[in-house]
Amino acid sequence: MQAELSAIQEQAIQEIQGATSSPDLEELRLKYFGKKGVVTQYSRKLGTLSAEERPVVGKMINTLRDHLEEVLKTRGQELARVEEEAKFERERLDVELPGRQPRRGHPHPLQLIIQEITMTFLGMGFSVAEGPEVELDFYNFEALNIPAEHPAREMHDSLYITENTLLRTHTSPVQIRTMEKLNPNPVRIIVPGRVYRRDALDATHSPIFHQIEGLLVDKDITFGDLKGVLTVFIRKFFGADREVRLRPSFFPFTEPSTEVDVSCVCQGQGCRICKNTGWIEILGAGSVHPKVLAMAKYDPEVYSGFAFGMGVERIAMLRYGITDIRHFYENDFRFLSQFCL
Ligand code: DAH
């Protein structure tokens, strides 16, 4: 019996010392001290021994148990230390590593143009107004003196949603909506917004683009006021040395109507931008048509005003020397990052 117990002790110690992980060690503990463990079995057999043998063997088993438990404990501590170190190593953090720089966003070039133009008009006492992109035929056409069958409707290749609602083809309907709201007060608004036309996308056309509309209505407003305000804007935006030229034109909602040109940077030398004319067309404008005032219930005998509208993409292309409108919508980072301040 003593020899057996010594052999068990020797083997157990070898196994315990050879254990390479805490779960392995736990298995060994069960192997020797579990319910059916090797040492446990021996303790059970004690009852079958004679009265003389029992205390002797019992003592031997106790000594074996105490010794093996000591060895288990020591190996357990060793393994715990090794495992903890491995864990620290796995989770090592270099707190001095420089952080990843988040990429900084910035306004889209069209937004830069809208902001700059809007600010110029805010400086002249205008405020910003907005209107819906899904618009009633009434505001988009009818109230702007473009009745059904009017040829001007064909100039706007419209995208209809129902019989009398469409994606607005211009920002001009906000003129009517704002006048209705402010009546009988004077109106002085600038309206940036998105507009829609049934056009195919190419280098100079897009079915979705942006306009900025302006409207001023008050007593005693003349065509001279229109020219003055637009000249201030154009010189601020394009440069103090630029000339402004008004050409007669036609819009159903203004009378008289004009197209406004700015002199080219080439100063009349002739270049590609102005197609050798020395002038660049930048907006449409005019005195508000009496019928439009009347539609919004401003008495045309008392009130007068002027309106203007310009294409944001066109102006951005001139400002930045961009020759293809599609660049604005493709979100190519190489293009956009050039506008990072
Ligand atoms: N709404 C016109 C268009 O989309 C632009 C325009 C021209 C607006 C003259 C105006 C204006 O307010 O007076 O083509």
Side-chain angles (χ1 to χ4, degrees):
M1 180 78 85
Q2 180 154 23
E4 271 176 49
L5 290 177
S6 308
I8 288 171
Q9 169 161 320
E10 201 169 309
Q11 201 199 335
I13 289 175
Q14 219 171 59
E15 287 178 358
I16 291 168
Q17 239 115 46
T20 52
S21 73
S22 301
D24 278 1
L25 199 64
E26 189 52 30
E27 246 171 65
L28 288 172
R29 181 192 304 284
L30 291 174
K31 175 176 175 184
Y32 290 98
F33 299 116
K35 259 194 193 158
K36 292 181 182 160
V38 179
V39 179
T40 317
Q41 308 271 22
Y42 273 95
S43 310
R44 292 232 176 94
K45 273 192 232 159
L46 274 180
T48 66
L49 298 180
S50 66
E52 299 89 66
E53 279 180 309
R54 209 178 296 154
V56 184
V57 176
K59 202 168 171 214
M60 278 174 4
I61 293 176
N62 280 344
T63 314
L64 171 64
R65 176 183 294 117
D66 290 351
H67 187 57
L68 288 187
E69 265 170 7
E70 188 61 34
V71 177
L72 273 171
K73 189 178 155 200
T74 312
R75 186 65 188 147
Q77 285 166 346
E78 278 166 18
L79 285 176
R81 196 170 340 106
V82 169
E83 282 164 5
E84 191 176 50
E85 263 163 32
K87 178 168 178 261
F88 287 157
E89 198 51 46
R90 260 196 325 276
E91 295 176 358
R92 179 184 284 283
L93 261 186
D94 183 350
V95 293
E96 291 183 8
L97 213 61
R100 287 198 190 96
Q101 280 290 345
R103 211 173 242 174
R104 183 107 168 232
H106 58 87
H108 188 277
L110 291 177
Q111 206 52 45
L112 291 175
I113 296 293
I114 290 173
Q115 279 168 6
E116 183 176 339
I117 294 176
T118 302
M119 287 309 283
T120 304
F121 282 98
L122 290 186
M124 290 191 273
F126 285 68
S127 38
V128 175
E130 284 181 315
E133 290 178 24
V134 175
E135 187 53 284
L136 290 169
D137 182 283
F138 174 78
Y139 289 108
N140 197 82
F141 293 126
E142 201 75 27
L144 288 164
N145 195 30
I146 316 175
E149 314 303 329
H150 192 288
R153 286 205 183 200
E154 277 173 35
M155 286 163 47
H156 298 226
D157 289 307
S158 318
L159 290 156
Y160 274 86
I161 291 171
T162 66
E163 185 81 1
N164 59 0
T165 55
L166 71 161
L167 292 171
R168 68 179 178 192
T169 58
H170 51 177
T171 42
S172 305
V174 185
Q175 291 189 23
I176 310 296
R177 287 183 174 275
T178 310
M179 282 192 280
E180 282 182 350
K181 220 180 318 174
L182 297 186
N183 194 329
N185 298 297
V187 179
R188 204 182 282 194
I189 52 160
I190 190 87
V191 185
R194 206 178 320 187
V195 300
Y196 302 79
R197 304 251 173 115
R198 193 152 33 79
D199 268 330
L201 185 64
D202 64 24
T204 52
H205 296 83
S206 164
I208 306 176
F209 59 103
H210 299 78
Q211 288 189 333
I212 295 180
E213 187 86 12
L215 174 68
L216 188 147
V217 175
D218 207 337
K219 289 171 184 161
D220 304 321
I221 301 301
T222 68
F223 201 84
D225 294 314
L226 161 68
K227 187 172 181 185
V229 166
L230 291 181
T231 302
V232 168
F233 156 64
I234 288 167
R235 297 222 165 115
K236 189 126 194 273
F237 187 85
F238 290 96
D241 56 339
R242 298 296 188 101
E243 294 301 327
V244 175
R245 182 175 82 173
L246 305 187
R247 277 179 295 112
S249 185
F250 173 79
F251 300 104
F253 33 88
T254 47
E255 181 58 34
S257 302
T258 176
E259 250 151 339
V260 181
D261 300 338
V262 57
S263 60
C264 186
V265 255
C266 72
Q267 295 193 309
Q269 298 289 299
C271 72
R272 250 184 5 180
I273 303 171
C274 63
K275 301 201 183 81
N276 295 320
T277 63
W279 295 95
I280 306 163
E281 183 192 322
I282 54 158
L283 52 81
S287 294
V288 181
H289 197 293
K291 278 192 183 166
V292 173
L293 290 171
M295 278 285 191
K297 310 221 159 47
Y298 278 83
D299 182 354
E301 297 297 328
V302 181
Y303 289 91
S304 54
F306 64 81
F308 56 90
M310 60 191 117
V312 177
E313 277 79 351
R314 189 182 152 70
I315 290 178
M317 286 166 87
L318 288 171
R319 161 64 66 88
Y320 298 122
I322 295 163
T323 50
D324 193 321
I325 198 171
R326 290 169 289 201
H327 286 308
F328 291 124
Y329 315 119
E330 285 166 351
N331 287 335
D332 184 329
F333 197 73
R334 292 166 300 179
F335 172 76
L336 293 178
S337 57
Q338 297 177 78
F339 302 92
C340 198
L341 303 176

